[in-house]
Short mmCIF file of all heavy atoms in Angstrom, two decimals:
data_model
loop_
_atom_site.label_atom_id
_atom_site.label_comp_id
_atom_site.label_asym_id
_atom_site.label_seq_id
_atom_site.Cartn_x
_atom_site.Cartn_y
_atom_site.Cartn_z
N GLY A 620 -8.80 -6.82 10.54
CA GLY A 620 -7.67 -6.31 9.77
C GLY A 620 -8.07 -5.17 8.84
O GLY A 620 -7.57 -4.05 8.96
N PRO A 621 -9.03 -5.43 7.93
CA PRO A 621 -9.44 -4.36 7.00
C PRO A 621 -9.97 -3.12 7.72
O PRO A 621 -9.69 -1.99 7.33
CB PRO A 621 -10.53 -5.05 6.18
CG PRO A 621 -10.24 -6.50 6.27
CD PRO A 621 -9.64 -6.71 7.61
N THR A 622 -10.72 -3.36 8.83
CA THR A 622 -11.24 -2.20 9.57
C THR A 622 -10.09 -1.40 10.17
O THR A 622 -10.06 -0.18 10.09
CB THR A 622 -12.18 -2.67 10.69
OG1 THR A 622 -13.19 -3.51 10.14
CG2 THR A 622 -12.81 -1.48 11.41
N ALA A 623 -9.12 -2.11 10.72
CA ALA A 623 -7.96 -1.42 11.32
C ALA A 623 -7.21 -0.63 10.26
O ALA A 623 -6.82 0.51 10.49
CB ALA A 623 -7.04 -2.44 11.98
N SER A 624 -7.07 -1.20 9.07
CA SER A 624 -6.30 -0.46 8.04
C SER A 624 -7.03 0.81 7.64
O SER A 624 -6.42 1.85 7.44
CB SER A 624 -6.01 -1.35 6.84
OG SER A 624 -7.16 -1.50 6.04
N ALA A 625 -8.37 0.77 7.61
CA ALA A 625 -9.13 2.00 7.31
C ALA A 625 -8.93 3.01 8.43
O ALA A 625 -8.70 4.19 8.19
CB ALA A 625 -10.61 1.67 7.15
N LEU A 626 -8.96 2.53 9.67
CA LEU A 626 -8.78 3.45 10.80
C LEU A 626 -7.36 4.00 10.85
O LEU A 626 -7.12 5.11 11.30
CB LEU A 626 -9.11 2.73 12.11
CG LEU A 626 -10.58 2.40 12.33
CD1 LEU A 626 -10.77 1.50 13.54
CD2 LEU A 626 -11.41 3.67 12.47
N LEU A 627 -6.41 3.23 10.31
CA LEU A 627 -5.01 3.70 10.30
C LEU A 627 -4.77 4.68 9.16
O LEU A 627 -3.67 5.21 9.01
CB LEU A 627 -4.08 2.49 10.17
CG LEU A 627 -3.94 1.63 11.43
CD1 LEU A 627 -3.33 0.28 11.09
CD2 LEU A 627 -3.12 2.33 12.49
N GLY A 628 -5.80 4.89 8.32
CA GLY A 628 -5.67 5.89 7.27
C GLY A 628 -5.36 5.34 5.90
O GLY A 628 -5.18 6.10 4.95
N SER A 629 -5.29 4.01 5.76
CA SER A 629 -5.09 3.46 4.42
C SER A 629 -6.33 3.73 3.60
O SER A 629 -7.44 3.56 4.09
CB SER A 629 -4.87 1.95 4.50
OG SER A 629 -3.72 1.69 5.26
N PRO A 630 -6.17 4.16 2.36
CA PRO A 630 -7.34 4.41 1.52
C PRO A 630 -8.12 3.13 1.32
O PRO A 630 -7.54 2.05 1.19
CB PRO A 630 -6.76 4.89 0.20
CG PRO A 630 -5.32 5.09 0.42
CD PRO A 630 -4.92 4.34 1.64
N ALA A 631 -9.43 3.24 1.30
CA ALA A 631 -10.28 2.07 1.08
C ALA A 631 -10.12 1.60 -0.37
O ALA A 631 -9.80 2.40 -1.24
CB ALA A 631 -11.73 2.44 1.35
N PRO A 632 -10.30 0.31 -0.61
CA PRO A 632 -10.20 -0.18 -1.98
C PRO A 632 -11.28 0.43 -2.86
O PRO A 632 -12.34 0.83 -2.38
CB PRO A 632 -10.41 -1.70 -1.85
CG PRO A 632 -10.79 -1.97 -0.46
CD PRO A 632 -10.64 -0.73 0.35
N MET A 633 -10.99 0.51 -4.17
CA MET A 633 -11.99 1.00 -5.13
C MET A 633 -13.15 0.03 -5.14
O MET A 633 -12.98 -1.18 -4.97
CB MET A 633 -11.36 1.10 -6.52
CG MET A 633 -10.31 2.20 -6.58
SD MET A 633 -9.28 2.07 -8.06
CE MET A 633 -10.50 2.24 -9.33
N LEU A 634 -14.35 0.56 -5.35
CA LEU A 634 -15.54 -0.29 -5.29
C LEU A 634 -15.87 -0.91 -6.64
O LEU A 634 -16.77 -1.72 -6.77
CB LEU A 634 -16.73 0.53 -4.80
CG LEU A 634 -16.57 1.10 -3.39
CD1 LEU A 634 -17.75 1.99 -3.04
CD2 LEU A 634 -16.47 -0.05 -2.38
N GLY A 635 -15.17 -0.48 -7.68
CA GLY A 635 -15.55 -0.99 -9.00
C GLY A 635 -16.80 -0.27 -9.46
O GLY A 635 -17.38 0.53 -8.73
N LEU A 636 -17.20 -0.55 -10.69
CA LEU A 636 -18.37 0.16 -11.23
C LEU A 636 -19.58 -0.27 -10.41
O LEU A 636 -19.85 -1.45 -10.28
CB LEU A 636 -18.53 -0.19 -12.72
CG LEU A 636 -17.39 0.41 -13.56
CD1 LEU A 636 -17.43 -0.08 -14.98
CD2 LEU A 636 -17.48 1.94 -13.51
N LEU A 637 -20.24 0.70 -9.82
CA LEU A 637 -21.36 0.39 -8.92
C LEU A 637 -22.51 -0.21 -9.73
O LEU A 637 -22.81 0.25 -10.81
CB LEU A 637 -21.82 1.67 -8.20
CG LEU A 637 -20.75 2.34 -7.34
CD1 LEU A 637 -21.37 3.50 -6.59
CD2 LEU A 637 -20.15 1.35 -6.36
N GLY A 638 -23.12 -1.23 -9.17
CA GLY A 638 -24.28 -1.83 -9.84
C GLY A 638 -25.40 -0.83 -9.91
O GLY A 638 -25.28 0.29 -9.41
N ASN A 639 -26.48 -1.22 -10.55
CA ASN A 639 -27.60 -0.29 -10.68
C ASN A 639 -28.27 -0.08 -9.34
O ASN A 639 -28.34 -0.98 -8.52
CB ASN A 639 -28.61 -0.82 -11.69
CG ASN A 639 -28.34 -0.18 -13.03
OD1 ASN A 639 -27.68 0.85 -13.09
ND2 ASN A 639 -28.83 -0.79 -14.09
N LEU A 640 -28.71 1.14 -9.16
CA LEU A 640 -29.38 1.48 -7.90
C LEU A 640 -30.82 0.99 -7.97
O LEU A 640 -31.49 1.16 -8.98
CB LEU A 640 -29.34 3.00 -7.73
CG LEU A 640 -28.01 3.52 -7.21
CD1 LEU A 640 -27.73 4.91 -7.73
CD2 LEU A 640 -28.04 3.51 -5.70
N LEU A 641 -31.27 0.38 -6.89
CA LEU A 641 -32.66 -0.09 -6.82
C LEU A 641 -33.57 1.13 -6.78
O LEU A 641 -33.43 1.97 -5.88
CB LEU A 641 -32.84 -0.92 -5.55
CG LEU A 641 -33.62 -2.21 -5.66
CD1 LEU A 641 -33.05 -3.05 -6.78
CD2 LEU A 641 -33.56 -2.98 -4.34
N SER A 642 -34.46 1.24 -7.75
CA SER A 642 -35.29 2.45 -7.84
C SER A 642 -36.03 2.71 -6.54
O SER A 642 -36.01 3.83 -6.03
CB SER A 642 -36.30 2.32 -8.95
OG SER A 642 -35.76 1.59 -9.99
N GLU A 643 -36.64 1.66 -5.99
CA GLU A 643 -37.45 1.96 -4.81
C GLU A 643 -36.58 2.45 -3.67
O GLU A 643 -36.97 3.31 -2.89
CB GLU A 643 -38.33 0.79 -4.39
CG GLU A 643 -37.62 -0.52 -4.11
CD GLU A 643 -37.66 -1.44 -5.32
OE1 GLU A 643 -37.37 -0.95 -6.43
OE2 GLU A 643 -37.96 -2.63 -5.15
N ASP A 644 -35.33 1.94 -3.59
CA ASP A 644 -34.46 2.43 -2.52
C ASP A 644 -34.08 3.88 -2.76
O ASP A 644 -34.09 4.71 -1.86
CB ASP A 644 -33.18 1.59 -2.44
CG ASP A 644 -33.44 0.25 -1.77
OD1 ASP A 644 -34.53 0.09 -1.21
OD2 ASP A 644 -32.56 -0.62 -1.83
N LEU A 645 -33.76 4.19 -4.01
CA LEU A 645 -33.35 5.55 -4.35
C LEU A 645 -34.50 6.51 -4.08
O LEU A 645 -34.34 7.57 -3.49
CB LEU A 645 -32.94 5.60 -5.82
CG LEU A 645 -31.95 6.69 -6.19
CD1 LEU A 645 -30.64 6.47 -5.46
CD2 LEU A 645 -31.72 6.75 -7.66
N GLU A 646 -35.69 6.05 -4.45
CA GLU A 646 -36.86 6.91 -4.24
C GLU A 646 -37.10 7.11 -2.75
O GLU A 646 -37.33 8.22 -2.28
CB GLU A 646 -38.08 6.25 -4.89
CG GLU A 646 -39.03 7.23 -5.51
CD GLU A 646 -40.03 6.54 -6.46
OE1 GLU A 646 -39.89 5.32 -6.68
OE2 GLU A 646 -40.92 7.24 -6.94
N ALA A 647 -36.94 6.01 -2.00
CA ALA A 647 -37.15 6.10 -0.56
C ALA A 647 -36.14 7.05 0.06
O ALA A 647 -36.45 7.86 0.93
CB ALA A 647 -37.03 4.71 0.07
N LEU A 648 -34.91 6.99 -0.45
CA LEU A 648 -33.85 7.87 0.06
C LEU A 648 -34.20 9.32 -0.23
O LEU A 648 -34.09 10.20 0.64
CB LEU A 648 -32.53 7.49 -0.62
CG LEU A 648 -31.23 7.96 0.01
CD1 LEU A 648 -31.11 7.46 1.44
CD2 LEU A 648 -30.04 7.48 -0.82
N GLU A 649 -34.69 9.57 -1.43
CA GLU A 649 -35.08 10.91 -1.85
C GLU A 649 -36.19 11.43 -0.94
O GLU A 649 -36.13 12.55 -0.42
CB GLU A 649 -35.55 10.86 -3.29
CG GLU A 649 -35.34 12.13 -4.07
CD GLU A 649 -33.94 12.71 -3.89
OE1 GLU A 649 -32.96 12.03 -4.18
OE2 GLU A 649 -33.86 13.85 -3.42
N THR A 650 -37.16 10.56 -0.67
CA THR A 650 -38.28 10.96 0.19
C THR A 650 -37.79 11.26 1.59
O THR A 650 -38.15 12.27 2.19
CB THR A 650 -39.31 9.81 0.25
OG1 THR A 650 -39.62 9.41 -1.08
CG2 THR A 650 -40.57 10.24 0.98
N LEU A 651 -36.89 10.41 2.06
CA LEU A 651 -36.35 10.60 3.42
C LEU A 651 -35.63 11.93 3.52
O LEU A 651 -35.84 12.70 4.45
CB LEU A 651 -35.40 9.44 3.73
CG LEU A 651 -34.81 9.34 5.12
CD1 LEU A 651 -35.89 9.31 6.18
CD2 LEU A 651 -33.92 8.10 5.24
N ARG A 652 -34.84 12.24 2.53
CA ARG A 652 -34.10 13.51 2.54
C ARG A 652 -35.06 14.68 2.49
O ARG A 652 -34.91 15.67 3.21
CB ARG A 652 -33.13 13.58 1.36
CG ARG A 652 -31.99 12.62 1.48
CD ARG A 652 -30.84 12.97 0.61
NE ARG A 652 -31.16 12.93 -0.81
CZ ARG A 652 -30.21 13.01 -1.75
NH1 ARG A 652 -28.96 13.11 -1.38
NH2 ARG A 652 -30.52 13.00 -3.02
N ASN A 653 -36.07 14.57 1.67
CA ASN A 653 -37.02 15.69 1.58
C ASN A 653 -37.76 15.86 2.89
O ASN A 653 -38.04 16.98 3.31
CB ASN A 653 -37.98 15.46 0.42
CG ASN A 653 -37.26 15.58 -0.92
OD1 ASN A 653 -36.22 16.24 -1.01
ND2 ASN A 653 -37.74 14.91 -1.93
N THR A 654 -38.02 14.74 3.58
CA THR A 654 -38.71 14.84 4.87
C THR A 654 -37.80 15.49 5.90
O THR A 654 -38.22 16.36 6.67
CB THR A 654 -39.07 13.42 5.38
OG1 THR A 654 -39.67 12.71 4.33
CG2 THR A 654 -39.98 13.49 6.58
N LEU A 655 -36.54 15.09 5.91
CA LEU A 655 -35.62 15.53 6.97
C LEU A 655 -35.04 16.91 6.72
O LEU A 655 -34.49 17.53 7.62
CB LEU A 655 -34.47 14.53 7.11
CG LEU A 655 -34.83 13.17 7.70
CD1 LEU A 655 -33.69 12.18 7.48
CD2 LEU A 655 -35.13 13.30 9.18
N GLN A 656 -35.16 17.40 5.48
CA GLN A 656 -34.40 18.62 5.18
C GLN A 656 -34.92 19.84 5.93
O GLN A 656 -34.22 20.83 6.05
CB GLN A 656 -34.34 18.87 3.68
CG GLN A 656 -35.65 19.22 3.05
CD GLN A 656 -35.48 19.50 1.56
OE1 GLN A 656 -34.38 19.45 1.02
NE2 GLN A 656 -36.58 19.79 0.88
N ALA A 657 -36.13 19.71 6.48
CA ALA A 657 -36.63 20.83 7.29
C ALA A 657 -35.77 20.97 8.54
O ALA A 657 -35.47 22.07 8.98
CB ALA A 657 -38.08 20.57 7.67
N ASP A 658 -35.32 19.81 9.07
CA ASP A 658 -34.49 19.85 10.29
C ASP A 658 -33.01 19.91 9.97
O ASP A 658 -32.21 20.44 10.73
CB ASP A 658 -34.73 18.58 11.12
CG ASP A 658 -36.10 18.62 11.80
OD1 ASP A 658 -36.44 19.70 12.30
OD2 ASP A 658 -36.80 17.60 11.81
N TRP A 659 -32.61 19.32 8.87
CA TRP A 659 -31.17 19.23 8.52
C TRP A 659 -30.94 19.94 7.20
O TRP A 659 -31.14 19.37 6.13
CB TRP A 659 -30.77 17.76 8.44
CG TRP A 659 -30.97 17.01 9.72
CD1 TRP A 659 -31.99 16.15 10.04
CD2 TRP A 659 -30.12 17.06 10.88
NE1 TRP A 659 -31.84 15.67 11.31
CE2 TRP A 659 -30.70 16.21 11.86
CE3 TRP A 659 -28.94 17.73 11.19
CZ2 TRP A 659 -30.13 16.01 13.11
CZ3 TRP A 659 -28.37 17.52 12.43
CH2 TRP A 659 -28.96 16.68 13.38
N LYS A 660 -30.49 21.16 7.29
CA LYS A 660 -30.41 22.03 6.10
C LYS A 660 -29.43 21.49 5.06
O LYS A 660 -29.59 21.72 3.87
CB LYS A 660 -29.97 23.45 6.52
CG LYS A 660 -30.89 24.08 7.56
CD LYS A 660 -32.01 24.88 6.90
CE LYS A 660 -33.03 25.38 7.88
NZ LYS A 660 -33.84 24.26 8.45
N LEU A 661 -28.39 20.75 5.55
CA LEU A 661 -27.37 20.30 4.58
C LEU A 661 -27.90 19.17 3.71
O LEU A 661 -27.25 18.75 2.76
CB LEU A 661 -26.10 19.87 5.33
CG LEU A 661 -24.75 20.03 4.63
CD1 LEU A 661 -24.64 21.33 3.87
CD2 LEU A 661 -23.62 19.88 5.62
N LEU A 662 -29.09 18.69 4.00
CA LEU A 662 -29.72 17.69 3.13
C LEU A 662 -30.39 18.35 1.94
O LEU A 662 -30.72 17.70 0.96
CB LEU A 662 -30.77 16.89 3.92
CG LEU A 662 -30.25 15.88 4.93
CD1 LEU A 662 -31.42 15.16 5.59
CD2 LEU A 662 -29.33 14.87 4.26
N GLN A 663 -30.60 19.65 2.04
CA GLN A 663 -31.29 20.34 0.95
C GLN A 663 -30.49 20.21 -0.34
O GLN A 663 -29.28 20.38 -0.34
CB GLN A 663 -31.46 21.83 1.27
CG GLN A 663 -32.42 22.10 2.41
CD GLN A 663 -32.43 23.58 2.77
OE1 GLN A 663 -31.75 24.39 2.15
NE2 GLN A 663 -33.20 23.92 3.79
N HIS A 664 -31.17 19.88 -1.40
CA HIS A 664 -30.48 19.77 -2.70
C HIS A 664 -31.40 20.06 -3.87
O HIS A 664 -30.99 20.02 -5.00
CB HIS A 664 -29.88 18.37 -2.86
CG HIS A 664 -30.92 17.30 -2.82
ND1 HIS A 664 -31.55 16.94 -1.66
CD2 HIS A 664 -31.46 16.55 -3.80
CE1 HIS A 664 -32.42 15.99 -1.93
NE2 HIS A 664 -32.39 15.73 -3.22
#
Side-chain angles (χ1 to χ4, degrees):
T622 306
S624 76
L626 290 171
L627 287 164
S629 299
M633 292 166 61
L634 298 175
L636 292 172
L637 300 185
N639 264 342
L640 280 149
L641 223 52
S642 326
E643 56 264 47
D644 283 350
L645 206 63
E646 216 165 355
L648 197 58
E649 209 47 58
T650 309
L651 185 56
R652 291 199 297 191
N653 291 335
T654 312
L655 290 167
Q656 67 178 359
D658 287 318
W659 300 102
K660 303 269 173 291
L661 210 41
L662 287 181
Q663 292 174 3
H664 61 287

